[in-house]
């Protein structure tokens, strides 16, 4: 399709239209203050640039400065979850605000793809790299990362001092349990995940802290681990109902969706027979269950945004290098008052 | 964090380590065949490049060639749907295979963001731009698009000859109806969308063609329009059951999810009382409903891939400039044989 492309407007075209030399155009484009150019000529060049639609070559300008206006973002799962999209959006909005462009690479967990993506970003002299994971976890840092400024987003590396932005899992778990406690529930089940992770440990700790705050003794029998998806939630229902819970905090919204199905299967209803709180606030699910699910939002947009701010030095990393971002509660219709008793 | 960054390895460092001049290193890096460099020197430079981890400046190399190795992708909704992610992944995989890097910009439907993204891509002399929409629709082309090679992905512009890659909605609708017809269903409802779109018209046409093929007369009373989400599916259940359907083709998987809830609400079961087929094969929903949903896949990955192939001239655009990509059926457990009658 090359032949049909209109020829790009060059500096020479601008010079001709403005009746000046190419070097004069170059001085105007690069805003060289010292250059002796008359006000008239300067204005004629500006006008010609506008009329012809001339676009300076950003690569050439970056090259002069020895650094590009790119920020790289390496994501491990753009395609398979809606979460990476929110991280990208948050990072991009903040990058643009400061004149940077986001260069996104998707690795789908493939090490070769990751190495290649990083090499490409380093070759393009990016301002720095955001290295992100679709779920909050510890990561092994690829070698290339140490060759440039880097911020970890939704992940961390214990043995490194690279700054990391992560969700505050503990505070999120506290929020979820508090939603049920505030409605008067005292026997509150927690379907945690079978996957060892910061989310597993953090949300459990938050749940226990909220019970403590409310003076409700912790009963380990009310915590069950299940696969973090609909099937896991469905299978956990029986175990929890047997233990007399009136409310359940689910590790994520998909688990809550499966729990809904299990509750219905028994002829029971959410929230009258069982109050339910999820986690994630997942776009296509949470607001559209029947009844709409009360949950806690994972702040993916904010994680991407905070990552760029750290990278550009606009925010200071916290002591220890880790920034924990809030997980706010989202109130819908899956929690009502606990039955008296 | 600038101060802590290790100094980048330069061509001068390589020259010193290899005991050759900088211009010799440059010749090796740029693979200048004509340059008279001994085999020994060539190998010493290669070794030094590897040992020092020297990375040639891609921007400088691109600049020499007058064009970058970037392909731009403008997406209107990375964050709010999982679909854009698949388009990105397909485009990126194919771009990488041919030595190109994908530069992704997310506009979230904001015209100013779109203009800025395109300007940035043009300034960086991209090889071309993929302009994509998260749902298949006609688009108004932004002015900047005509300044470079372009392919429309999951969208089209009637008044232009810019090539477009879109899903084959008609064939997809045919596939969906055929799944129900093959199981013996004859009274097949279709919950179409209230949104005027190629999906609305194409899937309806495919549904009618499949009925024709099977010798089943078309009954307009069995087609109802509903909001294309869970709430729409839930509200459509009553109308369809009143009309005696035994199977339903839903405009998308979210509609099917709402339909499931409505069916259960009436004490009925999928698939025994009502067979259901969705559309989209949406990641977090289709495989995880109870029972798992038979559906038709929207080929987002393939759309992104095909877009890059068209842009690079690896595939020829079809006559008329539109390429229609297949929507394959995905068989799960929401369709059983129709009751005798």
């Amino acid at each position: 399709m090359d032949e049909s492309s209109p020829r790009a407007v060059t500096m020479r075209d601008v010079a001709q239209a403005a009746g000046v030399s190419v070097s004069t155009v170059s001085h105007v484009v690069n805003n060289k203050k010292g250059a002796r150019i008359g006000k008239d000529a300067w204005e004629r060049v500006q006008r010609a640039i506008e009329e012809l639609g001339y676009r300076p070559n950003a690569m050439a300008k970056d090259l002069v400065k020895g650094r590009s206006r790119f920020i790289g973002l390496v994501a491990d799962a753009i395609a398979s979850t809606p979460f990476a999209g929110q991280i990208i959006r948050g990072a991009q909005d903040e990058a643009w605000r400061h004149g940077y462009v986001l260069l996104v690479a998707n690795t789908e967990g493939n090490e070769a793809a990751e190495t290649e993506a990083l090499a490409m970003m380093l070759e393009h002299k990016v301002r720095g790299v955001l290295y992100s994971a679709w779920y909050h976890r510890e990561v092994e840092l690829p070698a290339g990362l140490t060759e440039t400024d880097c911020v970890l987003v939704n992940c961390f590396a214990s043995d490194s001092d690279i700054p990391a932005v992560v969700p505050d899992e503990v505070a999120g778990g506290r929020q979820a349990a508090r939603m049920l406690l505030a409605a008067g529930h005292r026997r509150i089940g927690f379907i945690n995940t079978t996957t060892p992770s910061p989310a597993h440990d953090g949300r459990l700790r938050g749940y226990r802290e909220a019970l403590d705050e409310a003076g409700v003794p912790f009963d380990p029998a009310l915590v069950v681990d299940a696969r973090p998806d609909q099937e896991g939630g469905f299978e956990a229902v029986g175990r929890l109902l047997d233990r007399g819970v009136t409310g359940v905090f689910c590790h994520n919204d998909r688990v809550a969706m499966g729990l809904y199905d299990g509750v219905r299967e028994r002829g029971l209803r959410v929230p009258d027979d069982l109050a339910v709180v999820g986690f994630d606030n997942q776009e296509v699910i949470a607001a559209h269950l029947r009844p709409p699910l009360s949950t806690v939002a994972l702040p993916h947009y904010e994680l991407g945004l905070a990552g760029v701010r750290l990278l550009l030095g606009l925010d200071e990393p916290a002591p220890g290098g880790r920034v924990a971002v809030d997980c706010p509660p989202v109130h819908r219709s899956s929690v009502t008052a606990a039955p008296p008793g």
Side-chain angles (χ1 to χ4, degrees), chain A residues 29-30 56-67:
Chain A
V29 166
N30 293 300
N57 186 330
M59 286 197 299
K61 286 170 69 181
D62 291 340
L63 206 59
V64 170
K65 293 187 225 132
R67 154 165 282 180

Side-chain angles (χ1 to χ4, degrees), chain A residues 138-194:
Chain A
E138 173 147 23
V139 290
E140 298 249 357
L141 297 179
L145 266 194
T146 55
E147 294 182 38
T148 182
D149 290 341
C150 176
V151 172
L152 305 178
V153 176
N154 209 27
C155 58
F156 60 95
S158 301
D159 53 351
S160 123
D161 55 359
I162 293 185
V165 188
V166 295
D168 192 335
E169 306 283 1
V170 179
R174 227 164 25 220
Q175 292 284 11
R178 275 185 194 154
M179 288 166 91
L180 292 160
L181 288 161
H185 294 275
R186 289 297 175 265
R187 284 195 71 75
I188 297 172
F190 176 27
I191 307 180
N192 208 347
T193 175
T194 45

Side-chain angles (χ1 to χ4, degrees), chain A residues 303-320:
Chain A
L303 292 173
L305 185 151
V308 167
R309 294 190 62 82
L310 269 184
L311 189 71
L312 295 180
L314 300 168
D315 289 339
E316 289 295 313

Side-chain angles (χ1 to χ4, degrees), chain A residues 20-37:
Chain A
V20 300
S21 70
V22 171
S23 71
T24 300
V25 175
S26 166
H27 288 326
V28 173
V29 166
N30 293 300
N31 207 15
K32 280 244 174 79
K33 298 283 183 228
R36 284 198 226 147
I37 300 171

Side-chain angles (χ1 to χ4, degrees), chain A residues 82-88 90-91 133-136 153-154 167 280 297-305:
Chain A
F83 299 139
Q86 290 283 4
I87 293 176
I88 292 172
W134 74 269
Y135 76 94
H136 180 187
V153 176
N154 209 27
D280 286 0
L298 269 179
H300 289 105
Y301 180 91
E302 291 76 11
L303 292 173
L305 185 151

